[in-house]
Amino acid sequence: MPRKRATIREVAQATGLSPAAVSYALRGLQVSEETMERVRAAAAELGYEADPIARALASGRSGMIGLLCGSLEDLWQQSLAVGISRGLREKDRYALILDAVGDPARERALAQQLRDQRVDGMIVQPLDPSAGFWSELCESLPVIAIGDSLPGTAGEVIFDNRRGVTLALEHLRDLGHRRISVLTPTRPSTPDRPADVHVTAEAERLGLDITVTTAPHGMTAATAAARDILLDRKPSAVFCFADSIAYGVYAAAQELGLSIPGDVSVMGYDDHPMSGLLTPGLTTVDWDIDGIVRAAVRLTAAAADGATRRRRVVQSPTLRPRASTAPRP
């Protein structure tokens, strides 16, 4: 027979305390360290586990954090979601992971759905940071933005995209490349994301001839987009705003009989672990995903607990040169 769940009253009887005092002790509130240890030892011995529904009703908190990803076809975003969900679990919270599939309209609908489900907070990698609904959303729950800044957030982990783009383009420029194709997951309907804006300005400063083309994260779609630019534009280098998109360039180059980097140099932007295992290894930009996870979890936990001080973490990039980029023939 399954064992009956021990109640908080039984823990109270075992410790000689009131149920209220036991509740405070289990949450680490308003009691001494000695009392907390005594209550937790009794709870462990009795097999007591807090009823999550009752706890949510009593505290007004669900323990759930919404994690809204731009596209889970992006392998780097998958890794980020795994890291954040594990980090939140260590904070006694759970991640509710939703995928906007690269669609800004879907992103808005899912963000509003998370708000309506009364999550304690939300972590978002925005597809459309200039959308007007973010300000309204941030007024109703704590939002932590990753990547690009959003108005009204409780905290942000911002990528220094200006520095990242400069590192990438200067690397290709120094190798002699002037005709460069840029593949971005950003749709034409949301053209004002900081990285996409800066790549055009920086290319002009460096005297580079670039074209910017939209390419989804999915392997099949990224390969098709890469195939088109390799055939039509014949660039000497391709810079991709995601390693997952760069993998599509590898596939397209193989289909077309082109060698990397002999015929075309290829560069990514997020240093997914698989990028170092490719042949040749993919030159990319490392954003320190472990640091991003730690910062996002820390800011989210603090905001969900009621912290009012807004914090902003700026993540700096590091160039990871590998064999996929070489001097222009």
Side-chain angles (χ1 to χ4, degrees):
M1 294 290 291
R3 181 179 177 179
K4 182 181 177 182
R5 178 194 293 266
T7 67
I8 199 168
R9 291 188 177 276
E10 291 173 330
V11 179
Q13 290 172 358
T15 57
L17 299 170
S18 68
V22 168
S23 177
Y24 283 130
L26 291 172
R27 288 181 289 160
L29 302 173
Q30 302 181 16
V31 297
S32 67
E33 192 72 28
E34 180 185 353
T35 300
M36 276 193 289
E37 292 299 326
R38 181 157 60 96
V39 168
R40 289 172 179 174
E45 183 177 348
L46 292 171
Y48 170 79
E49 295 180 3
D51 186 333
I53 297 177
R55 182 171 58 184
L57 290 172
S59 65
R61 297 177 181 176
S62 65
M64 300 296 297
I65 301 294
L67 176 56
L68 180 52
C69 301
S71 173
L72 285 176
E73 286 188 302
D74 179 3
L75 299 179
W76 188 86
Q77 290 189 45
Q78 289 182 22
S79 299
L80 187 66
V82 169
I84 288 176
S85 64
R86 290 175 178 172
L88 289 172
R89 183 66 189 92
E90 293 174 0
K91 298 285 189 180
D92 199 25
R93 291 176 170 85
Y94 300 86
L96 179 58
I97 302 173
L98 297 180
D99 180 11
V101 297
D103 183 355
R106 181 178 175 87
E107 175 180 65
R108 175 173 183 162
L110 291 178
Q112 293 171 335
Q113 180 180 332
L114 286 170
R115 177 198 60 194
D116 295 342
Q117 290 180 341
R118 304 292 181 89
V119 294
D120 295 339
M122 184 188 306
I123 302 172
V124 62
Q125 304 164 63
L127 294 170
D128 186 5
S130 64
F133 74 89
W134 290 119
S135 295
E136 178 186 350
L137 185 78
C138 291
E139 291 179 356
S140 56
L141 81 164
V143 176
I144 304 299
I146 295 180
D148 293 332
S149 180
L150 292 177
T153 56
E156 299 176 327
V157 185
I158 303 303
F159 300 169
D160 185 357
N161 279 302
R162 180 177 294 273
R163 178 61 180 156
V165 166
T166 297
L167 281 175
L169 292 185
E170 285 185 347
H171 173 72
L172 295 174
R173 188 274 313 270
D174 291 346
L175 292 173
H177 298 282
R178 294 295 180 271
R179 189 177 179 84
I180 300 170
S181 287
V182 177
L183 294 181
T184 174
T186 301
R187 296 189 177 194
S189 59
T190 57
D192 51 358
R193 295 185 66 183
D196 298 84
V197 171
H198 185 60
V199 77
T200 302
E202 190 66 357
E204 183 176 351
R205 182 183 74 85
L206 296 173
L208 304 177
D209 175 16
I210 72 164
T211 56
V212 181
T213 304
T214 297
H217 288 104
M219 187 66 175
T220 300
T223 301
R227 186 189 308 115
D228 288 344
I229 64 108
L230 291 174
L231 285 171
D232 296 342
R233 180 165 166 78
K234 295 180 173 58
S236 68
V238 181
F239 171 35
C240 305
F241 272 132
D243 285 16
S244 290
I245 296 175
Y247 303 157
V249 181
Y250 273 63
Q254 185 177 37
E255 288 180 14
L256 298 173
L258 300 175
S259 69
I260 300 174
D263 296 311
V264 61
S265 288
V266 182
M267 187 166 183
Y269 200 57
D270 49 45
D271 199 25
H272 186 272
M274 193 161 62
S275 296
L277 303 177
L278 298 177
T279 303
L282 176 65
T283 297
T284 186
V285 176
D286 180 6
W287 292 98
D288 182 16
I289 192 169
D290 292 335
I292 293 169
V293 166
R294 289 192 299 271
V297 169
R298 183 178 71 253
L299 296 181
T300 303
D305 286 339
T308 57
R309 181 182 175 188
R310 184 177 185 272
R311 297 181 181 273
R312 190 173 195 261
V313 176
V314 179
Q315 206 72 14
S316 297
T318 303
L319 182 68
R320 298 294 183 206
R322 299 190 179 103
S324 69
T325 51
R328 179 171 175 254

